Amino acid sequence: MPVDEHTAALPSLRQRRRAAATREILDAAERQIAESGPAALSLRAVARSLGMTVQALYHYFPSRDELVTALITKAYEALGDAVQAAVDSSRAEAPLERVVAATEGYRQWAVDHPERFQLLYGTPLRYYEAPVEGATTQAVRRMGAIFEREMFDGFTPAQLAAADASDLSPVFVAYLDQLPPTGQDALPPAVTALVMSAWGHMHGLVVLEVFGHTAFLGEHQAEIFRLGMRNTLKDIFSRIPSADQAP
């Protein structure tokens, strides 16, 4: 009996069952991380929670590292989705406010999922090594590209090339100039430095909150974060000349 293209393209029953089992394993591992923290992740405990043997789990994730890589990739993708959703919901806002919204999406995901955030940015898991240029790398690059597009949307290449780099040493500028691009386009060295500075400020504030170091601010933590990011971004935008001032 001939098989049409649509039917041929559908995943087989075996593939669907494997995908469903993989999702169940990842969900169980995420629950374990939420309950006990990333360092307590155990393949044996994950398998036991699903009524599986460890040997059966190995058919889906042959090693702890492969499970950790899948969890990290999934967390980065969820974080990137949260940032993109925040960007999409602020399309009508001014450029600076859109970037502030993106940073708030980053913060809110971290606050809502502290254990998964710690899996990404907390104490490195002992003996774990992420695959070089693997899924985790691609996932974090996707998130970085979202920020880059929003931060410099509307600026011309000439404007970006003329960004104020007076605070950077010539040696550092030369180093930045030879780095491979992380987003869709290569950024001038000064702009790369500005992105790194903004990212560091944003990430530092979020880490302090997630790890409880700003708990004394109570419900005002979001306001302090917003103030810090708006001021940081205003400084960055002030370093980029207007279109009529760019060479």
Side-chain angles (χ1 to χ4, degrees):
M1 178 181 293
V3 178
D4 61 44
E5 293 182 5
H6 175 70
T7 302
L10 291 175
S12 67
L13 177 60
R14 182 177 181 180
Q15 290 172 323
R16 295 198 301 274
R17 285 176 173 171
R18 182 177 183 84
T22 299
R23 285 194 299 271
E24 283 192 51
I25 293 169
L26 290 174
D27 289 345
E30 287 177 344
R31 287 194 296 271
Q32 187 182 113
I33 288 173
E35 293 169 1
S36 307
L41 181 64
S42 160
L43 266 65
R44 188 175 300 278
V46 170
R48 185 167 56 246
S49 72
L50 293 171
M52 302 173 64
T53 65
V54 175
Q55 289 72 23
L57 190 149
Y58 282 144
H59 287 298
Y60 302 94
F61 295 98
S63 69
R64 173 178 172 270
D65 277 10
E66 290 198 27
L67 177 58
V68 171
T69 295
L71 289 166
I72 291 175
T73 301
K74 187 179 177 186
Y76 270 128
E77 289 173 346
L79 179 51
D81 288 345
V83 172
Q84 186 63 62
V87 169
D88 293 341
S89 67
S90 61
R91 291 293 183 188
E93 302 292 334
L96 185 143
E97 296 305 323
R98 289 203 303 272
V99 186
V100 171
T103 66
E104 289 181 310
Y106 184 95
R107 171 193 169 270
Q108 193 60 57
W109 187 90
V111 171
D112 291 342
H113 306 89
E115 293 82 10
R116 295 178 72 189
F117 183 80
Q118 290 179 45
L119 175 66
L120 300 180
Y121 298 116
T123 303
L125 294 178
R126 196 172 186 184
Y127 306 123
Y128 172 72
E129 291 187 15
V132 177
E133 293 297 319
T136 56
T137 302
Q138 298 305 317
V140 75
R141 281 179 177 168
R142 174 222 172 192
M143 183 172 59
I146 295 172
F147 277 105
E148 287 182 15
R149 287 195 302 270
E150 287 312 306
M151 285 185 70
F152 306 114
D153 182 32
F155 290 107
T156 67
Q159 286 176 274
L160 297 180
D164 180 9
S166 59
D167 297 339
L168 305 178
S169 70
V171 174
F172 186 38
V173 171
Y175 174 77
L176 293 175
D177 200 30
Q178 56 84 38
L179 288 178
T182 57
Q184 291 185 325
D185 303 301
L187 296 175
V191 177
T192 299
L194 293 176
V195 171
M196 293 170 63
S197 176
W199 184 277
H201 192 181
M202 174 191 71
H203 184 67
L205 289 174
V206 172
V207 167
L208 288 174
E209 183 173 354
V210 170
F211 283 82
H213 299 302
T214 56
F216 66 93
L217 293 171
E219 62 184 16
H220 303 291
Q221 291 180 98
E223 185 175 350
I224 288 296
F225 177 84
R226 189 179 304 115
L227 175 65
M229 293 316 305
R230 186 173 283 119
N231 288 339
T232 295
L233 293 166
K234 282 182 178 178
D235 175 68
I236 288 176
F237 286 175
S238 72
R239 292 171 176 265
I240 302 174
S242 60
D244 59 346
Q245 292 176 324

